[in-house]
């Protein structure tokens, strides 16, 4: 059902913007969670690193975290679990991605201290876990 809702939203966007429409980087999309143990799922496209890591790519990754947290605030969601955005097939360097994730969420939380009950960093690999444990 979750995949169907995403596909439906994308079809609506393609009708509005044309069949070549792709979800832009750092623009969140909210759907129901269906059988997942959560109320909602926020989908976001992270930056893709093709060559050198640039300040623009770093800003786009930070925007992913900030805009997701903003969407949580706007929708009354009090907890969020982040995966390691862009670090897999999108080739964002894992350690730098962890720094950006933590720095961005800390800054956001200081600006909105009562907005969230819990922010979780859900890691895929032991290497990712090592970076987050070192920085938190």
């Amino acid at each position: 059902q979750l995949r169907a809702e995403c596909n439906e939203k994308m079809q609506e966007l393609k009708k509005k913007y044309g069949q070549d429409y792709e979800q832009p980087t750092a623009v969140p999309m909210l759907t129901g969670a269906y059988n997942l143990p959560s109320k909602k799922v926020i989908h976001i496209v992270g930056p893709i690193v093709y060559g050198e890591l640039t300040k623009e790519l770093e800003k786009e990754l930070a925007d992913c975290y900030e805009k997701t947290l903003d969407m949580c605030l706007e929708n009354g969601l009090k907890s969020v679990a982040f995966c390691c955005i862009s670090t897999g097939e999108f080739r964002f360097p894992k350690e730098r991605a962890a720094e950006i994730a933590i720095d961005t969420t800390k800054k956001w939380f200081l600006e909105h201290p009562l907005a969230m009950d819990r922010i979780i960093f859900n890691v895929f690999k032991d290497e990712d876990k090592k970076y987050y444990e070192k920085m938190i």
Side-chain angles (χ1 to χ4, degrees):
Q1 286 179 329
L2 180 59
R3 182 175 288 165
E5 185 176 350
C6 274
N7 288 336
E8 184 179 312
K9 285 190 177 210
M10 282 302 293
Q11 290 307 313
E12 290 173 15
L13 291 167
K14 286 182 179 199
K15 282 180 189 174
K16 185 174 181 177
Y17 297 111
Q19 286 302 310
D20 292 337
Y21 176 82
E22 293 181 1
Q23 187 70 6
T25 300
V27 176
M29 180 189 306
L30 184 70
T31 66
Y34 301 97
N35 294 330
L36 295 172
S38 63
K39 294 178 184 173
K40 299 287 182 181
V41 173
I42 298 174
H43 310 264
I44 197 155
V45 176
I48 302 171
V49 179
Y50 289 107
E52 239 180 81
L53 185 61
T54 64
K55 291 293 179 193
E56 181 180 342
L57 292 168
E58 291 179 339
K59 170 79 168 85
E60 287 177 350
L61 184 61
D63 286 348
C64 288
Y65 288 95
E66 184 176 343
K67 290 179 181 182
T68 297
L69 289 165
D70 287 343
M71 183 170 269
C72 288
L73 181 62
E74 292 163 9
N75 288 276
L77 303 173
K78 301 292 278 178
S79 65
V80 65
F82 287 110
C83 62
C84 300
I85 299 172
S86 286
T87 61
E89 291 182 31
F90 286 11
R91 298 175 298 280
F92 207 102
K94 294 173 185 246
E95 187 169 13
R96 182 66 184 125
E99 290 171 359
I100 291 168
I102 291 167
D103 291 347
T104 303
T105 55
K106 278 183 181 178
K107 180 181 176 215
W108 189 92
F109 188 75
L110 289 172
E111 294 171 7
H112 307 88
L114 301 177
M116 300 297 288
D117 292 337
R118 187 176 354 179
I119 299 172
I120 299 166
F121 296 104
N122 181 30
V123 298
F124 297 115
K125 298 182 177 183
D126 289 339
E127 177 186 0
D128 299 318
K129 182 180 177 187
K130 176 183 73 174
Y131 296 135
Y132 280 91
E133 286 179 338
K134 181 175 82 173
M135 294 176 209
I136 291 181

